Amino acid sequence: LAASILPPGVLNLVHGGSAVAQALIDHPGVAAVTFVGSSPVAESVHARATARGKRVLALGGAKNHLVALPDCDLEMTARDIVASFTGCAGQRCMAASVLLVVGEQPELVARVVELARALVPGSDGPLAMGPVIDAAAVTRIEAAVRGAAQSGAELLLDGHASTTKFAARQAESGGFWVGPSIIRHRSAGDSALREEIFGPVLSVLHCADAHEALAIENASAFGNAACVYTASGAAAEFFAQKFAAAMIGVNVGVPVPREPFSFGGCKRSRFGSSDITGDAAIEFFSTRRKITTKWSVPADQSWMS
């Protein structure tokens, strides 16, 4: 791809760890730095680059909230929630990780569990969910789910039980397979509900009203995405104006903005002052040049010639 469309030297792939990254940041030939990863590393990259006078945009982690109001379309909402938290096995910065259910809505929660349970390990077909990136991810995800259960949360779906299809796939063919997990919490302070897990795990919390749900979303340290499921235009407008995240969905669980609107979060989901796409990206990757000119009028002409 690069050879067919880019001049030599435009795209370079350099492998390595933190030492390589630091060398690139420090190099006098590097004028701007971008990064995508966890918030602690993004913050470190931002601090190092800005200290050296570099332009920098570092995208960090996320904890994206979905709010389901009682008037939501049950089937559409359930399918969208499952697609959001299990797509890419939950390993994407726009994946849902918290479902705030206003009221009880037992039918909605049951349908979400049913749809998630039907997923199978693989890469083909509408019910397929792929593996996670490595063994460390498996360990981290399993620890988060196990810790939530030990702290008193209810596992509505345990994707890490030895009897799941995903565990069987790992035993048969290797790889890093974990099934979707759904955790019902009793407290908004639970760590699994607040901290990024980066896997196919959905935390569910029932809220008394829309204001409680909004307060929980607003209190998150992250600010990538948030979505409200509703049939009410007034409710959609209320949440769209009050959510603290930077990318908002109405009945869209992965609210990636369509071009020309730019992609980027806020709070601890972004370190830097611009977005990574759209007109903000043009500003980031270029330098404005202003040219002022003045010409003498020839002796045999006037300004009206």
Side-chain angles (χ1 to χ4, degrees):
L1 174 64
S4 64
I5 63 174
L6 297 176
V10 171
L11 177 63
N12 300 280
L13 184 61
V14 182
H15 295 281
S18 59
V20 172
Q22 290 170 3
L24 287 171
I25 293 171
D26 296 348
H27 196 283
V30 173
V33 176
T34 60
F35 172 84
V36 178
S38 68
S39 291
V41 179
E43 187 173 27
S44 174
V45 168
H46 181 264
R48 189 180 188 97
T50 53
R52 288 152 179 77
K54 307 293 179 76
R55 194 178 299 182
V56 57
L57 175 57
L59 303 186
K63 196 70 177 178
N64 302 320
H65 293 70
L66 311 178
V67 176
L69 299 185
D71 67 343
C72 69
D73 181 304
L74 189 150
E75 187 65 18
M76 180 189 75
T77 299
R79 290 187 177 277
D80 199 70
I81 290 168
V82 173
S84 181
F85 94 88
T86 65
C88 300
Q91 299 174 111
R92 53 183 176 180
C93 62
M94 294 295 282
S97 52
V98 178
L99 172 62
L100 302 173
V101 181
V102 176
E104 291 302 318
Q105 301 193 63
E107 297 86 357
L108 173 63
V109 175
R111 184 59 174 151
V112 169
V113 173
E114 180 184 18
L115 291 170
R117 183 179 284 117
L119 297 177
V120 297
S123 57
D124 299 318
L127 297 179
M129 189 182 83
V132 295
I133 187 65
D134 56 23
V138 174
T139 300
R140 183 186 67 252
I141 294 165
E142 289 182 344
V145 175
R146 185 168 56 251
Q150 291 172 348
S151 68
E154 178 186 3
L155 291 186
L156 301 179
L157 181 62
D158 184 358
H160 316 295
S162 60
T163 57
T164 67
K165 295 166 283 187
F166 290 83
R169 174 66 177 267
Q170 181 164 329
E172 292 169 2
S173 59
F176 310 110
W177 299 90
V178 290
S181 292
I182 301 176
I183 307 168
R184 176 145 52 196
H185 296 267
R186 293 179 173 85
S187 169
D190 290 354
S191 62
L193 195 141
R194 294 183 293 104
E195 299 171 3
E196 184 179 40
I197 298 173
F198 209 65
V201 180
L202 182 70
S203 289
V204 178
L205 184 69
H206 292 272
C207 300
D209 53 35
H211 295 283
E212 181 184 359
L214 185 65
I216 293 170
E217 187 276 339
N218 283 181
S220 175
F222 303 99
N224 237 25
C227 167
V228 61
Y229 294 101
T230 181
S232 166
E237 179 67 14
F238 172 80
F239 278 94
Q241 296 299 322
K242 300 293 186 179
F243 274 143
M247 292 175 281
I248 309 302
V250 175
N251 300 317
V252 178
V254 184
V256 175
R258 300 290 187 179
E259 296 292 353
F261 303 105
S262 58
F263 182 99
C266 59
K267 299 199 281 189
R268 289 191 61 79
S269 292
R270 185 188 72 183
F271 297 87
S273 59
S274 65
D275 284 348
I276 200 66
T277 64
D279 57 351
I282 296 174
E283 290 285 335
F284 182 86
F285 288 108
S286 61
T287 299
R288 285 178 179 252
R289 299 175 65 242
K290 285 70 65 176
I291 302 172
T292 304
T293 66
K294 183 177 182 179
W295 303 90
S296 297
V297 179
D300 60 344
Q301 296 183 8
S302 71
W303 66 271
M304 297 183 63
S305 298

